[in-house]
Amino acid sequence: MTLHTARGLNDGGFFQDTLVALGLAKSSTPRKPGSGTPMRGLRRIKTSGPQTHKLPFVVMWGVTLVTAVTMAVINFFTIWIISFAVSWKFSTLQLMVDHLGVWFAILGFTMLCSCIALCCTIFIYTCAPAAGGSGAPENKGFLNGNEIPELFTLQNLIGRAIATMLANVTGYPVGREGPTVTMGSNLAYLITHVAALPFVRQWVDIDAPGSATSAATMIDEDRFEHAKRIVCTVGGACGMAMLFDSPIGGIVYMFEEITSSSWPVEVTFRAFAGTSVCALVSRALLNMCGTSTKAFVIYEWNPQPTGWSWRDVPFFMLLAVMIGPFSAFHTRACLAVAAARQKLMKRFSSYEPFNKMADAVLYGGLVALTYSLVALSANCKHTAQDAVQFVRYDCEEGKYNPVASLLLTTSEGAVKRLFSRHDANEIHFRNELLAFLSYTSLNIGLTGVQVPSGNFTGSMLIGGLIGRMMGALVRDYGPGMAVSGVYAMVGSASMLCGFKQMAVAVVVFITGAANDLGLVPPLMLAVTISLLLNKQINERGFDEEQILRKAIPFLPPEPPRLMDRVLAYELRDDLPPEATLEPEADYRSIEAALEQDKVDCFPVLKDGHCIGFTTRARLQAALEVWKATGFVEAGGARPQALSDAGGEQMGKLISVTVARESSFSGNVLPVKRLTEKAPYTILEDMPGPRLYALFAKAGAKAASVISEKGEFKGMISRKGLISIARRYEEESDQAQYDDTIGDEDEEQSLVIPPNP
């Protein structure tokens, strides 16, 4: 539905109507004097089907390209600021070590990191409380087709960007991936909202009594939300593409993240163009500012491919066999720590938010203290390469500390050192083991701390350390063995695929980071083995578990197994009688319906048959127009004349009031004009898995459950189906579902419950 059809204008004035929508010209539509509201509107709201937006070509492509370029600019300034702050922080540490001694330096470094953590947590709780996390589970829930109130706001976008910089400067064992993807979707949401809003609005007559103006502003929510989700997906893909300098990786990551059921056809090409522009602009900006900011992009700028041989394949497989179960238990440990931290915070809930702020500050200091102390146990090595690649710390000039080079740096810098095939003899098994134990324990312990955190790079670093140790052990096995950097990449892929439970994106990212397509076969082999073993232990990945524990709306692409023998009648929403409306309803009936907070879609019934659904937003918009006419006041009270300006004036006011009171019962809101016609209908004895696809893949928001005679028996909403599916998933987690049931049990399970 385009703008000219939305407003009932002729086809020849489309360009003029577009200028009117953008505020660049005046409309010729009759309007009430002194207002921007037309006197008349459409006789009925015009809606399109789900998963279609029908927005102009220029609008959608303009939003796509603006989002891509803006994300590249935001990323450039983000890593420029982080690069400057991190360089200053570690230069200060080295200065304190050289002039005050290592112990005073450790104390000062711990206090410095604690102060930065304090600034981070104060900013979060005072300016952007929603930024205290990666936002990835919530973003995934929105892209799945659900409403997440107050998720994408300008305040959250700015707050998450600043908090992410502060968290990375503090030195938490995290990466920027999760927050950056969420920021990309947030930015795309805001841009789409401004650009697309004029094209999805329409004026609909609601016959407001006592006023020359009878039109209310209505929005085709399905079109609007679909357009937003398309560009939000592109924004998230741009975030991953610029972090890894891999446009294809960004596209594949978002595809695996939101699954094919939430991936519209047109997203592929838009994401292709958007990520290409974003990656090119990002790379151009990075090339302008030198090598310091390149350290924040996991990419081998000057590769020297070193091949692998068949002698390495058994060790690659052994590495995947080890890391697959380890990644599953790592996920469980993270979730257990998050649950324990949540219980602990509840015990001190009377001190909130200071209890969570203290937790974040103390943990930031603990990370700095642990890294500094563990690095002291390393043996200094002579610098055989460019000293900039390694950290000197407590070593004398001309030497470096191998553990400090992995811990007292950024996560991206540590991963690049592990992946490098130039330093095979620079970091040895003992140093890698120390770094692995300290980083992994702190990475697990960070779960639940209220700071922006992405565990993508963290998982890569943990797996890279394991692979690097394996490479050190087999280095002397014989000639022709791959260098430790190759084993680090295989280990990183094995760990990351288990934590995120995705396969193709992991291979694309790590192959791109290595700048060597020859690594694709061993990486795919390792990912296959690791992910198979991981799924034998964990049914879901970390983000999916977070979605369940946070009760974020999310409809899985496939129905739970316990729904196999459930009928449509049993999946109905608990719909209060007040939530059903007549085609024409008075003010009090509509207010009673809106008081049902758990209902967003309201069925409209005529003679016991559902003729369509209307939404909460449409009803509220219509009531606002009624209130503006003075016919009724907020709360349903009728206006009263409160004046003592004389008998004649009082008489006129009383006459007006009496006239309105006498006509109140006869004036009703034409709800049918706000109704989306031709609703989805489901027979009450339809099996649950068959109707599930209507919501999971076709994007339906609500469906009417009817009898064989067409009588309305209830409705199934997306929100209600998510609640039921989640309950079945929790039940299946608690007890093993038995697939073998007798014929008698199966027949009994298909019996329709009697009408209440």
Side-chain angles (χ1 to χ4, degrees), residues 200-477:
V200 295
R201 283 189 305 197
Q202 51 188 292
W203 298 95
V204 179
D205 281 340
I206 59 171
D207 292 338
S211 174
T213 300
S214 63
T217 306
M218 300 292 164
I219 296 177
D220 191 343
E221 297 96 337
D222 288 342
R223 288 178 57 207
F224 203 22
E225 294 301 319
H226 183 64
K228 289 179 178 178
R229 289 189 174 94
I230 288 176
V231 188
C232 285
T233 303
V234 176
C238 288
M240 291 300 292
M242 65 190 183
L243 289 178
F244 290 88
D245 196 42
S246 175
I248 299 299
I251 297 173
V252 177
Y253 171 85
M254 291 303 296
F255 181 80
E256 291 197 79
E257 184 77 357
I258 68 176
T259 71
S260 60
S261 62
S262 303
W263 186 272
V265 176
E266 69 175 281
V267 172
T268 303
F269 184 52
R270 293 191 187 280
F272 184 88
T275 53
S276 299
V277 171
C278 183
L280 287 173
V281 174
S282 181
R283 174 176 280 213
L285 293 173
L286 289 173
N287 290 339
M288 291 171 54
C289 58
T291 58
S292 59
T293 49
K294 287 182 180 180
F296 289 85
V297 178
I298 303 177
Y299 183 78
E300 184 60 62
W301 297 87
N302 299 302
Q304 290 185 1
T306 301
W308 52 275
S309 67
W310 288 105
R311 297 166 62 88
D312 295 300
V313 173
F315 296 102
F316 290 159
M317 298 175 64
L318 177 61
L319 186 60
V321 170
M322 294 169 52
I323 295 182
F326 174 80
S327 63
F329 291 117
H330 172 268
T331 300
R332 292 195 174 192
C334 290
L335 295 171
V337 169
R341 177 171 272 112
Q342 186 177 15
K343 291 181 180 179
L344 181 62
M345 292 298 106
K346 285 184 178 179
R347 295 181 58 182
F348 299 95
S349 58
S350 57
Y351 300 98
E352 196 169 342
F354 300 105
N355 56 340
K356 296 181 179 179
M357 295 173 64
D359 180 33
V361 174
L362 292 175
Y363 204 85
L366 176 64
V367 170
L369 179 62
T370 303
Y371 286 171
S372 302
L373 293 176
V374 172
L376 292 177
S377 60
N379 297 323
C380 296
K381 304 291 183 181
H382 286 282
T383 304
Q385 302 181 40
D386 186 1
V388 177
Q389 296 184 8
F390 297 95
V391 178
R392 184 164 65 88
Y393 190 43
D394 61 329
C395 300
E396 58 188 40
E397 290 288 346
K399 294 184 178 181
Y400 69 94
N401 187 312
V403 175
S405 299
L406 294 174
L407 297 179
L408 295 177
T409 183
T410 62
S411 298
E412 293 86 353
V415 171
K416 289 188 68 174
R417 292 185 180 95
L418 292 175
F419 284 7
S420 175
R421 285 166 280 184
H422 305 275
D423 57 0
N425 298 315
E426 304 299 328
I427 304 175
H428 300 283
F429 179 87
R430 177 176 176 274
N431 301 318
E432 293 156 354
L433 178 61
L434 290 173
F436 166 76
L437 294 175
S438 56
Y439 187 90
T440 303
S441 57
L442 290 172
N443 176 268
I444 294 173
L446 179 69
T447 313
V449 177
Q450 294 298 303
V451 294
S453 57
N455 223 346
F456 201 92
T457 305
S459 299
M460 290 177 65
L461 180 54
I462 293 172
L465 287 167
I466 299 175
R468 189 87 181 196
M469 288 187 286
M470 172 69 78
L473 291 175
V474 303
R475 183 181 305 157
D476 300 327
Y477 178 72

Side-chain angles (χ1 to χ4, degrees), residues 497-707:
C497 74
F499 184 80
K500 296 291 294 183
Q501 288 205 351
M502 57 176 56
V504 182
V506 172
V507 175
V508 173
F509 278 132
I510 295 183
T511 303
N515 201 4
D516 182 7
L517 292 176
L519 292 175
V520 170
L523 290 177
M524 293 181 66
L525 175 63
V527 165
T528 301
I529 297 173
S530 177
L531 192 53
L532 283 174
L533 294 176
N534 180 281
K535 288 192 172 184
Q536 297 301 314
I537 303 174
N538 289 347
E539 182 180 356
R540 293 175 288 271
F542 181 78
D543 287 342
E544 288 73 18
E545 286 290 348
Q546 289 283 77
I547 287 173
L548 289 177
R549 297 183 181 219
K550 293 183 177 182
I552 298 171
F554 184 84
L555 190 64
E558 299 295 334
R561 295 179 61 190
L562 290 178
M563 196 180 286
D564 287 350
R565 295 175 178 86
V566 176
L567 303 179
Y569 194 93
E570 303 170 75
L571 300 175
R572 298 173 303 160
D573 291 9
D574 185 11
L575 190 67
E578 295 82 1
T580 59
L581 297 171
E582 296 292 330
E584 295 182 345
D586 60 30
Y587 185 87
R588 291 189 178 90
S589 298
I590 296 175
E591 273 204 332
L594 292 175
E595 289 176 358
Q596 313 305 315
D597 297 334
K598 297 182 179 180
V599 182
D600 292 324
C601 290
F602 300 88
V604 180
L605 306 183
K606 182 178 180 180
D607 299 330
H609 296 79
C610 180
I611 63 173
F613 292 92
T614 189
T615 64
R616 177 177 295 273
R618 296 173 192 170
L619 293 176
Q620 289 175 338
L623 290 189
E624 288 298 325
V625 173
W626 271 35
K627 292 177 183 178
T629 65
F631 180 69
V632 290
E633 296 178 349
R638 300 169 191 169
Q640 298 179 0
L642 299 176
S643 174
D644 53 359
E648 183 178 354
Q649 183 177 0
M650 177 66 72
K652 292 181 179 180
L653 291 173
I654 292 176
S655 299
V656 172
T657 303
V658 171
R660 287 177 175 173
E661 288 182 352
S662 62
S663 63
F664 181 82
S665 59
N667 286 282
V668 291
L669 178 68
V671 178
K672 61 183 179 181
R673 298 184 184 177
L674 314 179
T675 301
E676 183 176 349
K677 287 292 188 177
Y680 292 108
T681 55
I682 297 173
L683 289 175
E684 58 185 340
D685 57 352
M686 178 181 289
R690 178 165 296 183
L691 67 89
Y692 190 90
L694 181 65
F695 294 87
K697 299 181 180 180
K701 297 292 184 181
S704 172
V705 180
I706 62 174
S707 65

Side-chain angles (χ1 to χ4, degrees), residues 116-197:
I116 301 174
L118 179 62
C119 295
C120 178
T121 188
I122 289 177
F123 175 80
I124 289 174
Y125 283 101
T126 56
C127 300
S134 69
E138 292 82 1
N139 188 30
K140 190 170 183 177
F142 172 78
L143 296 177
N144 181 250
N146 309 294
E147 295 183 8
I148 312 291
E150 302 299 324
L151 173 61
F152 295 139
T153 63
L154 182 61
Q155 179 182 4
N156 287 344
L157 175 62
I158 298 175
R160 181 165 278 112
I162 296 176
T164 299
M165 290 187 286
L166 291 172
N168 279 265
V169 173
T170 299
Y172 290 112
V174 297
R176 297 188 296 122
E177 299 76 23
T180 302
V181 170
T182 305
M183 287 166 54
S185 296
N186 195 341
L187 176 67
Y189 183 96
L190 296 177
I191 296 176
T192 309
H193 184 88
V194 174
L197 181 59

